[in-house]
Amino acid sequence: MATEPTDPDPATLCARAPRPARSSSRPLVPPLDLSVVYCPDDLSHVDGLSDGSATGYIYARDGHPNAAQLAEKLTRLEQAEAGWICASGMGAIAAALLSILGQGDRVLIAEGMYGRTAALVERQMSRWGIDHATFDPADAGSARAAMTPNTRAILAETISNPLLRVADLPGLAGVAREAAIPLIVDNTFAPLICRPVELGAGLVVHSVTKMIAGHSDVTLGAILGERRLVEPARVLASTLGQTGNPFESWLAMRGLATLALRMERASSTAMALARRLEAHPGVVRVHYPGLESHPDRALAARVLGNSGGSMITIDVGSRERADALIRGLAESIPFAPSLGDVQTTLSHPVTTSHRALDEAARARQGITPGLVRISVGLEDPEDLWDEFRTALGFPE
Ligand SMILES: Cc1ncc(COP(=O)(O)O)c(C=O)c1O
């Protein structure tokens, strides 16, 4: 074996990677592994890494330690068998769907899904010969009625956006089971609150960008579920260049450390805020799964347990009043069309997430110009209420 010269030229010294730092103790915090490539010892080691008989990595797009650590945690949290980290929530949804569906197949998607998910199915997958039909996520019978012999998957969100309807996951899992096809659940709005695998989902996807990472500085997604379904999705995600990167996986792991505390706090504040908003004369309607007035309250109790989650959507009656509310809160509560941040943020579905839908489609789904979606954060509940009450411009 050739050894390095004892006194190499500076150019050689500069160019070569340093030797691994020697330490008999381990870091408390996961190290950040930015390496794009990992060096096998020899050709049989490459064979072993490729066929899985040796553990390790070769090329970061096909796997790296930071994504593997995050995937392992999320897999355990969702009670899944396997997991994979993707470059975004959309990357995860696309990889999950496209690893199952091919030309001539059909997918059933819940009405009122996240706009880009609907656009992926309706505008992109349709070009590749993949058909779709929609169903009411709170009514498993409507999914059964839409089933055809070429239907290969059912896709629903645990809590829909922006009206926060709750999907009948046990019922939908039953329909999927009868047809021997997977139920895929986007659990972005309900991490820790709901475990779709326990309710019968074959795959769970997350926009890790939201509550899981929790600080609006990470764009990532996750696919979790049965190994036989995750494995082809992993291969497809890697082939499409959709693997999550090390730094964002590392940041998401840091965010994940406080997920349970954040979800608990944000959900209890959301419950209190929803009640007060419901009693306010300036608010026409409050959509919150924890309220008695929510159309899916009984279902929510089964699917979400005793939490209503951290999202509230209110209807203040018109685009003008929604605009006034957003402007009135601008100093304290940002208009930021995302969700799941440590601070409370607002979104206006008609002009942001559901902008691509035409007016008739929005009206069919009940997405009115006066809707304002609130992603509740970790502020003091009384401070939040004072700000909303003042901005709504009516006495309590
Ligand atoms: C429910 C839901 N799923 C998926 C996504 C897509 O996630 P990402 O923005 O990480 O691609 C979003 C984004 O807002 C979402 O709200």
Side-chain angles (χ1 to χ4, degrees):
M1 191 193 288
T3 51
E4 204 173 65
T6 45
D7 187 17
D9 184 88
T12 306
L13 256 181
C14 289
R16 299 254 158 99
R19 295 195 184 99
R22 275 204 293 270
S23 173
S24 61
S25 52
R26 287 172 291 123
L28 174 64
V29 172
L32 174 58
D33 281 288
L34 289 174
S35 191
V36 167
V37 64
Y38 291 77
C39 308
D41 296 335
D42 53 28
L43 301 187
S44 63
H45 194 188
V46 181
D47 291 342
L49 289 167
S50 304
D51 68 22
S53 59
T55 50
Y57 308 94
I58 300 178
Y59 192 59
R61 180 163 37 72
D62 298 322
H64 55 80
N66 293 105
Q69 284 174 323
L70 179 61
E72 202 229 327
K73 272 250 171 130
L74 295 178
T75 299
R76 290 179 66 190
L77 285 172
E78 287 288 7
Q79 309 258 295
E81 288 173 4
W84 186 251
I85 301 302
C86 291
S88 65
M90 285 312 302
I93 293 166
L97 289 176
L98 293 171
S99 63
I100 294 168
L101 299 159
Q103 205 171 20
D105 290 342
R106 164 179 275 211
V107 58
L108 303 187
I109 63 163
E111 285 157 8
M113 291 208 70
Y114 171 58
R116 276 296 172 93
T117 305
L120 169 70
V121 172
E122 289 163 8
R123 298 193 194 157
Q124 304 298 333
M125 287 171 39
S126 57
R127 296 192 299 120
W128 306 322
I130 299 168
D131 178 29
H132 76 278
T134 57
F135 63 93
D136 173 355
D139 173 13
S142 70
R144 186 174 286 110
M147 195 65 84
T148 52
N150 63 337
T151 301
R152 298 276 174 268
I154 302 176
L155 174 66
E157 289 164 359
T158 309
I159 303 177
S160 76
N161 175 25
L163 296 180
L164 311 180
R165 298 294 307 269
V166 179
D168 177 5
L169 296 184
L172 293 173
V175 175
R177 207 174 310 113
E178 283 162 23
I181 60 172
L183 169 65
I184 307 171
V185 177
D186 181 337
N187 201 29
T188 298
F189 278 29
L192 304 189
I193 294 174
C194 174
R195 287 210 185 100
V197 168
E198 283 179 350
L199 302 177
L203 279 180
V204 179
V205 289
H206 274 283
S207 170
V208 173
T209 314
K210 314 299 182 191
M211 285 82 165
I212 292 176
H215 296 72
S216 301
D217 51 11
V218 164
T219 304
L220 282 182
I223 306 175
L224 312 151
E226 291 175 40
R227 193 174 301 284
R228 69 179 179 93
L229 297 171
V230 172
E231 186 52 21
R234 175 189 76 76
V235 172
L236 183 68
S238 167
T239 307
L240 293 176
Q242 284 296 327
T243 305
N245 73 46
F247 183 50
E248 289 185 281
S249 301
W250 184 91
L251 274 176
M253 186 72 110
R254 186 181 175 130
L256 185 64
T258 55
L259 178 64
L261 285 174
R262 287 187 284 108
M263 284 307 291
E264 205 180 301
R265 164 80 175 202
S267 302
S268 82
T269 303
M271 183 74 229
L273 185 61
R275 282 198 202 291
R276 287 169 136 172
L277 287 166
E278 196 172 40
H280 195 287
V283 178
V284 177
R285 179 140 185 222
V286 178
H287 303 263
Y288 182 67
L291 289 178
E292 293 308 321
S293 58
H294 191 277
D296 308 323
R297 183 62 208 120
L299 193 53
R302 277 202 291 144
V303 172
L304 308 175
N306 55 13
S307 176
S310 57
M311 304 294 296
I312 307 172
T313 298
I314 58 174
D315 194 335
V316 291
S318 67
R319 179 185 163 118
E320 290 66 35
R321 284 196 45 81
D323 203 26
L325 177 64
I326 288 166
R327 279 191 274 106
L329 286 168
E331 286 294 306
S332 51
I333 303 182
F335 174 34
S338 186
L339 60 115
D341 193 80
V342 288
Q343 64 183 313
T344 300
T345 56
L346 303 177
S347 182
H348 183 248
V350 165
T351 53
T352 63
S353 53
H354 292 70
R355 192 179 189 96
L357 296 184
D358 59 41
E359 221 172 301
R362 281 198 294 263
R364 254 195 327 275
Q365 292 183 24
I367 300 170
T368 53
L371 286 186
V372 175
R373 196 192 67 192
I374 307 164
S375 170
V376 178
L378 309 182
E379 299 92 336
D380 177 74
E382 296 303 321
D383 285 349
L384 269 184
W385 175 237
D386 279 347
E387 286 160 352
F388 271 99
R389 192 174 44 182
T390 308
L392 280 165
F394 280 85
E396 192 175 349

